[in-house]
């Protein structure tokens, strides 16, 4: 499976595109098996009618060359050489020029949704507090080009400075710096909210809650008509928060949570982890490894499923007996955390809750075990508690890996200091997934623009018709039918 894993990762890293649901062409049985385990549609021959960019072709022959009109992974005799766009240009990953344009090219659902409300956007003040990477930039530019006054905030660990700089060059107000200290990040957040946006699209609900604090954002609520929140961890505190504005629970839309959380986060977390622990691209030693997934919500289901696809021996920790039963019937071992941690080669939290990986679990893990977080909130791994108990945290020669050592000298590999691995070390969820999620966010914005004055303060679901429309547009885009744009 080694060459298949390496080639799958090369595709994901170069394109930041989805595997599940997409069409792939390969005659290599191991690669086909792995792609199918990730949910791909696999065929040995390209479509006769032409792929029109909808297929990805893996060419492994001696004289491998890019396939016209398709994304092509070129690997003569199975040795990776490069990834090529449908026009034949080379693509390698996040550092490529034109990365925002590449993302936007594959976001027909969001593009169409913005176009439908373009007549409502001129002069509207819209704030985006999202992971600041190319897909978010594409959304910001769509809204700005339609006439909205767009401001963008990004947490330091979730900001790509090159993307922020590009948005500034396009005339948008950006409040983000990847090197910002906590105090500087607080200042940036206050300055963002001082723009008095009318509509706020948030990730984590940090800015929605901050807008309600008159000491930190004294004028924000006077202008804000409504907001939308796109994450599970962001909605959790809002369910018990005294909201003064209507907030659309975008994450509760089926076309968001069933796909972004499971397929998107599952794929992006695992491909990012593999690239970190196997930087030379020789094949990460996941087959046969004991992997523990904590939590069996939608994120946990995706992470467990993709771990199994990669050949891991997967066990699940889940406190909810219904979800634990689901995990069992999905073929996973269900075990208490202490028992699972004692033999795990990799432990992944998929809950979005603090202290999911407590000090006791860190103490139980074997030497050199990997600790990581899918998605995540601050404190999901009890690093501070470990340091207070005499553990030490040091750099490991890789900017994405730290060594967490106990007083006896046992050392664990902690990825990205326990923050969400896919958006801190990777490029976030695949483009098609974020196209759906942003399609939901734009649908929520549409609801606020058209009915915001009639909505009471508090959480509101996205209307089912809007939810279904996003899913239908995404299905049409994957199948290459209809007209999402």
């Amino acid at each position: 499976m080694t060459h298949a894993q390496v080639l799958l990762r090369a595709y994901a890293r170069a394109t930041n595109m989805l595997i599940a649901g997409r069409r792939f062409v390969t005659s290599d049985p191991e690669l086909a098996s792995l792609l199918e385990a990730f949910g791909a549609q696999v065929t040995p021959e390209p479509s006769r009618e032409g792929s029109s960019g909808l297929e990805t072709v893996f060419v492994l022959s001696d004289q491998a060359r890019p396939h016209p009109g398709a994304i092509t992974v070129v690997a003569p005799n199975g040795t990776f050489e490069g990834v090529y766009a449908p026009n034949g240009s080379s693509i390698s990953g996040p550092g490529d020029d034109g990365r925002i344009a590449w993302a936007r090219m594959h976001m027909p659902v969001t593009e169409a949704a913005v176009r439908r409300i373009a007549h409502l956007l001129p002069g509207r003040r819209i704030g985006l507090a999202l992971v600041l990477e190319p897909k978010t930039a594409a959304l910001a530019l769509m809204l700005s080009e339609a006439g909205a006054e767009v401001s963008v905030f990004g947490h330091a660990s979730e900001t790509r400075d090159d993307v922020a700089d590009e948005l500034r060059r396009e005339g948008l107000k950006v409040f983000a710096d990847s090197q910002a200290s906590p105090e500087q990040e607080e200042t940036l957040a206050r300055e963002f909210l001082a723009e008095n946006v009318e509509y706020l699209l948030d990730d984590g609900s940090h800015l929605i809650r901050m807008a309600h604090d008159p000491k930190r954002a004294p004028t924000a609520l006077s202008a804000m008509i409504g907001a939308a929140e796109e994450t599970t961890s962001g909605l959790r505190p809002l369910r018990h928060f005294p909201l003064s504005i209507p907030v659309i629970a975008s994450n509760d839309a089926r076309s968001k949570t069933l796909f972004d959380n499971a397929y998107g986060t599952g794929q992006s977390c695992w491909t990012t982890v593999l690239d970190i622990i196997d930087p030379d691209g020789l094949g990460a030693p996941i087959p046969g490894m004991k992997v523990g997934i904590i939590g069996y919500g939608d994120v946990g289901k995706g992470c467990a499923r993709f771990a199994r696809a990669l050949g891991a021996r997967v066990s699940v920790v889940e406190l909810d007996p219904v979800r634990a039963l689901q995990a069992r019937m999905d073929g996973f071992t269900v075990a208490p955390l202490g028992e699972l941690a004692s033999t795990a080669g990799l432990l992944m939290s998929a809950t979005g809750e603090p202290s999911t990986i407590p000090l006791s679990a860190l103490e139980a893990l074997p030497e050199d075990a990997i600790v990581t977080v899918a998605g995540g909130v601050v404190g999901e791994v009890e690093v501070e508690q470990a340091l207070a108990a005499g553990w030490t945290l040091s750099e490991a020669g890789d900017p994405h890996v730290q060594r967490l050592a106990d007083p006896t000298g046992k050392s664990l590999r902690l990825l990205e200091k326990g923050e969400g691995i896919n958006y801190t070390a990777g490029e976030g969820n695949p483009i098609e997934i974020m196209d759906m999620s942003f399609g939901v966010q734009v649908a929520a914005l549409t609801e606020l623009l058209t009915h915001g004055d009639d909505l009471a303060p508090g959480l509101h679901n996205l209307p089912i018709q809007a939810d279904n429309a996003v899913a239908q547009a995404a299905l049409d885009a994957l199948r290459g039918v209809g007209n999402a744009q």
Side-chain angles (χ1 to χ4, degrees):
M1 184 185 285
T2 299
H3 78 280
Q5 181 205 106
V6 170
L7 296 181
L8 179 146
R9 289 161 49 193
Y11 158 80
R13 180 174 57 254
T15 65
N16 190 219
M17 293 181 71
L18 186 63
I19 296 170
R22 285 188 61 85
R23 293 206 303 266
F24 293 83
V25 179
T26 182
S27 57
D28 181 88
E30 288 190 15
L31 181 56
S33 178
L34 181 58
L35 288 166
E36 288 174 343
F38 267 65
Q41 306 284 315
V42 182
T43 179
E45 298 291 339
S47 300
R48 292 182 179 180
E49 65 272 19
S51 60
S52 301
L54 293 173
E55 289 181 338
T56 295
V57 180
F58 286 86
V59 184
L60 278 64
S61 62
D62 292 348
Q63 304 297 320
R65 296 289 184 272
H67 188 86
I71 295 171
T72 309
V73 181
V74 175
N77 298 312
T79 301
F80 174 68
E81 179 182 291
V83 181
Y84 298 86
N87 64 3
S89 62
S90 176
I91 47 177
S92 60
D96 290 349
D97 292 336
R99 199 65 170 176
I100 297 172
W102 172 261
R104 185 168 180 172
M105 185 190 312
H106 298 96
M107 295 173 64
V109 177
T110 305
E111 193 93 56
V114 172
R115 189 166 52 249
R116 282 193 294 271
I117 60 170
H119 63 291
L120 301 175
L121 293 175
R124 291 297 194 179
R125 298 189 304 278
I126 299 174
L128 307 182
L130 306 169
V131 176
L132 188 43
E133 43 84 23
K135 299 177 288 290
T136 297
L139 171 62
L141 290 172
M142 292 176 201
L143 294 170
S144 177
E145 290 167 8
E149 298 177 13
V150 180
S151 302
V152 181
F153 169 80
H155 294 283
S157 63
E158 302 174 3
T159 292
R160 274 187 48 183
D161 290 325
D162 60 330
V163 174
D165 290 342
E166 180 63 25
L167 289 180
R168 292 187 183 101
R169 285 191 290 270
E170 294 292 334
L172 279 67
K173 295 180 179 179
V174 180
F175 303 85
D177 181 350
S178 71
Q179 302 303 310
S181 67
E183 295 75 18
Q184 291 169 328
E185 186 174 293
E186 171 75 12
T187 298
L188 289 168
R190 292 188 182 202
E191 291 174 348
F192 168 79
L193 288 174
E195 291 294 309
N196 293 327
V197 299
E198 297 171 289
Y199 304 96
L200 174 60
L201 306 185
D202 204 354
D203 179 319
S205 76
H206 303 93
L207 277 296
I208 293 174
R209 287 174 283 151
M210 186 174 178
H212 284 74
D213 186 339
K215 293 182 179 179
R216 301 167 74 193
T219 64
L221 281 184
S222 63
M224 197 174 294
I225 297 171
E229 168 54 42
E230 71 173 21
T231 65
T232 303
S233 56
L235 281 180
R236 191 174 289 119
L238 293 184
R239 298 192 194 281
H240 309 287
F241 189 87
L243 289 165
S244 298
I245 56 170
V247 176
I248 305 296
S250 296
N251 186 73
D252 286 351
R254 293 187 306 159
S255 54
K256 193 281 179 187
T257 190
L258 294 179
F259 300 93
D260 183 307
N261 293 2
Y263 300 96
T265 305
Q267 174 184 317
S268 62
C269 285
W270 269 109
T271 54
T272 302
V273 167
L274 297 176
D275 283 345
I276 291 173
I277 66 176
D278 178 36
D280 296 326
L282 302 177
I286 300 300
M289 177 184 287
K290 292 184 178 180
V291 168
I293 305 295
I294 306 177
Y296 205 67
D298 289 319
V299 172
K301 289 174 184 175
C303 290
R305 173 174 173 246
F306 290 124
R308 179 164 59 189
L310 290 163
R313 297 162 59 191
V314 184
S315 297
V316 170
V317 176
E318 176 55 71
L319 299 180
D320 182 326
V322 173
R323 287 180 171 176
L325 183 59
Q326 280 186 303
R328 174 77 180 192
M329 291 194 176
D330 285 341
F332 299 109
T333 299
V334 178
L337 178 56
E339 176 184 323
L340 182 154
S342 65
T343 60
L346 185 149
L347 187 61
M348 177 181 288
S349 173
T351 66
E353 292 272 16
S355 298
T356 299
I357 300 182
L359 177 57
S360 59
L362 299 175
E363 292 171 337
L365 284 166
E367 169 70 25
D368 207 39
I370 299 163
V371 179
T372 189
V373 172
V377 297
V378 175
E380 204 153 333
V381 182
E382 286 193 344
V383 176
E384 294 301 320
Q385 291 87 335
L387 296 178
W391 290 54
T392 59
L393 185 65
S394 60
E395 296 301 323
D398 181 314
H400 305 301
V401 183
Q402 295 76 43
R403 281 285 175 182
L404 188 60
D406 72 6
T408 71
K410 182 187 77 173
S411 175
L412 306 176
R413 284 181 282 173
L414 178 67
L415 305 190
E416 278 294 334
K417 299 179 181 177
E419 296 195 54
I421 194 65
N422 56 334
Y423 56 78
T424 54
E427 204 173 5
N429 283 343
I431 296 170
E432 301 96 323
I433 289 293
M434 292 311 301
D435 187 30
M436 291 183 67
S437 294
F438 287 159
V440 169
Q441 285 283 61
V442 174
L445 175 62
T446 303
E447 184 72 5
L448 293 169
L449 284 164
T450 54
H451 303 295
D453 292 338
D454 301 325
L455 295 175
L459 286 177
H460 298 265
N461 290 328
L462 185 70
I464 187 64
Q465 298 89 340
D467 190 359
N468 288 342
V470 172
Q472 186 63 57
L475 178 61
D476 289 345
L478 278 175
R479 295 168 61 202
V481 300
N483 184 17
Q485 302 189 43

